[in-house]
Amino acid sequence: MKILSVNAGSSSLKFTLIELPAKNVIASGLFEKIGLADSCYTIKYNGEKITTNEALPDHSVAVKKLIDALLNMQIISSLEEIEGVGHRMVHGGQEFSKSVILTNEVLDRIAKYNELAPLHNPANIMGVKAFMKVLPNTIQVGVFDTAFHTTMKETEFLYPVPYEWYEKYQVRKYGFHGTSHRYINKTISELLGRNDLKVISCHIGNGGSITAIDSGNVVDTSMGFTPLAGIMMGTRSGDIDASILQYMAKKSSKSLDQLTNELNKESGLLGISGISSDSRDVEEAANNGNEKAILAQEMYARKIANYIAMYNNLLNGADVITLTAGVGENSKTMRKMILDRIASLGVKLDESKNDFRGELRLITTDDSKIPVYVVPTDEELMIAMDTMELALQNR
Ligand code: ADP
């Protein structure tokens, strides 16, 4: 069956058409600058990449053009061939613990969490509505970034602040990247033939989060009320002392919004190195002796190593550590830096196994106390698989 996996942003729409259960990517693409000048879309199919510059006044027009293109390019021969559309939804609050079939009533319930993810949820919902309009007879499924983390207990998801903040204002840890962590846990559990694994899953890309999983249940995760918390990232600070905001607001006469924006977009690797948020650029500068780049890399690796050590304690000893996403899958330098900094856990990198990119591989020695695997993530596939499951149940 053919399933569309979709990620709608406020002015963009990414899609992947996947054949299941074979897991083949048939076509993929990106609609950009929706509602803006110079909008365009790119479709990849059969090893070719076709870019079209056309007006895309809103998401419905983009979806219509996508379906027309799939038909015109004979990627599908009728609309009925698409048996489900799976949507990445960022925030489902405490309410959505798994993927759901989307109806207008469910969308209204999801919209309650717009305040918790103002940049993402309204855009996700807009994408769903556009597909409902163009493909009214096709099942639409919502797959939440937060859902996998709903197994966390109060001891982990609460912040030690007045309890009222949670009861009245829903201030708690939600966690993100859940679809990726769930995919990684599934992949490593299948590989090792166990469903009772204690996994520390490190998703290290431009954004990054680390999750402690026991027997398929999330025990704790490093992102929090928003994706700003946890480890240092490409442009995000990760954990900082909350009082810094009040102090900086007074000192710099910047607003809380401006400062929060700086913590999200101008901090992390970019903030410290002053060069780039991309670990490749920072690595190159560090190799050329740039001191701030060297410092940024060291801080980055240490924050990740410290979270791994903390979660190893929380899990009372992990069975396996996994690395994924842009940095985890591709940067042998950062992999080595992180593993060297968790040597106290008995982790030993086998350097002869570390020189590769983007594959599922074990990178530790046989006598490493905890094996470390690089596991490429595939959120689109996970979304498509959830969609297939619900589509089959509702045939
Ligand atoms: P996102 O969080 O946007 O999904 P990705 O998981 O795609 O991010 O990760 C993007 C980041 O991965 C880049 O900013 C870069 O730092 C890093 N990256 C990608 N390729 C490489 C590479 N070959 N070597 C080192 N780092 C890489």
Side-chain angles (χ1 to χ4, degrees), residues 57-350:
D58 60 37
H59 283 66
S60 297
V61 174
V63 173
K64 179 86 181 49
K65 298 233 185 254
L66 161 60
I67 301 299
D68 287 346
L70 294 177
L71 287 166
N72 291 339
M73 292 166 80
Q74 292 173 349
I75 300 171
I76 54 170
S77 53
S78 75
L79 294 188
E80 288 68 42
E81 254 181 68
I82 300 173
E83 292 201 53
V85 184
H87 298 265
R88 179 200 184 204
M89 309 297 288
V90 166
H91 220 304
Q94 312 200 101
E95 185 178 341
F96 292 96
S97 58
K98 44 184 194 236
S99 303
V100 288
I101 295 176
L102 298 167
T103 58
N104 282 321
E105 182 264 329
V106 174
L107 287 181
D108 287 345
R109 273 161 54 204
I110 298 171
K112 285 193 304 198
Y113 306 108
N114 282 0
E115 256 191 317
L116 299 179
L119 295 180
H120 293 102
N121 261 29
N124 297 156
I125 292 171
M126 200 152 62
V128 178
K129 290 198 165 154
F131 275 93
M132 283 177 159
K133 204 161 135 189
V134 180
L135 297 176
N137 301 318
T138 309
I139 188 170
Q140 312 286 329
V141 169
V143 180
F144 300 90
D145 263 16
T146 47
F148 190 46
H149 301 299
T150 53
T151 53
M152 274 188 292
K153 302 232 163 48
E154 278 186 327
T155 39
E156 273 67 43
F157 77 65
L158 282 180
Y159 293 108
V161 294
Y163 201 82
E164 194 190 58
W165 292 20
Y166 168 55
E167 285 185 310
K168 238 179 155 176
Y169 305 106
Q170 295 126 53
V171 172
R172 53 158 284 173
K173 179 183 279 197
Y174 291 101
F176 299 89
H177 291 144
T179 308
S180 172
H181 290 296
R182 182 159 58 98
Y183 178 81
I184 298 298
N185 183 65
K186 178 175 149 60
T187 306
I188 197 71
S189 299
E190 283 170 4
L191 181 78
L192 302 181
R194 283 176 59 182
N195 54 17
D196 61 345
L197 282 178
K198 292 191 275 183
V199 182
I200 300 176
S201 168
C202 308
H203 178 114
I204 322 168
N206 187 27
S209 67
I210 305 197
T211 297
I213 306 162
D214 187 350
S215 311
N217 295 316
V218 169
V219 181
D220 200 0
T221 190
S222 62
M223 281 180 169
F225 177 66
T226 72
L228 181 56
I231 57 174
M232 175 171 163
M233 307 176 214
T235 61
R236 295 193 192 110
S237 62
D239 299 333
I240 62 159
D241 179 344
S243 309
I244 294 171
L245 279 177
Q246 183 198 32
Y247 173 82
M248 281 299 294
K250 279 188 192 151
K251 281 284 181 193
S252 67
S253 68
K254 287 180 185 165
S255 68
L256 276 181
D257 280 357
Q258 279 173 305
L259 291 167
T260 307
N261 193 49
E262 288 184 17
L263 290 178
N264 272 297
K265 304 223 169 110
E266 292 171 34
S267 300
L269 280 177
L270 174 66
I272 296 296
S273 72
I275 295 167
S276 167
S277 62
D278 192 305
S279 76
R280 286 164 288 198
D281 301 334
V282 177
E283 188 178 327
E284 195 188 318
N287 288 342
N288 291 330
N290 182 304
E291 280 180 18
K292 285 203 174 127
I294 294 169
L295 174 65
Q297 273 196 314
E298 183 61 39
M299 288 172 67
Y300 190 80
R302 284 188 189 209
K303 306 275 179 205
I304 293 168
N306 289 345
Y307 257 99
I308 294 174
M310 181 164 74
Y311 284 167
N312 187 60
N313 182 60
L314 183 67
L315 291 170
N316 200 16
D319 295 314
V320 59
I321 297 169
T322 56
L323 304 176
T324 196
V327 179
E329 290 171 32
N330 296 305
S331 173
K332 59 180 181 187
T333 309
M334 194 43 71
R335 290 198 293 250
K336 176 171 164 48
M337 287 185 73
I338 295 165
L339 265 57
D340 285 351
R341 284 154 189 75
I342 48 172
S344 72
L345 306 182
V347 171
K348 286 189 205 159
L349 175 71
D350 183 339

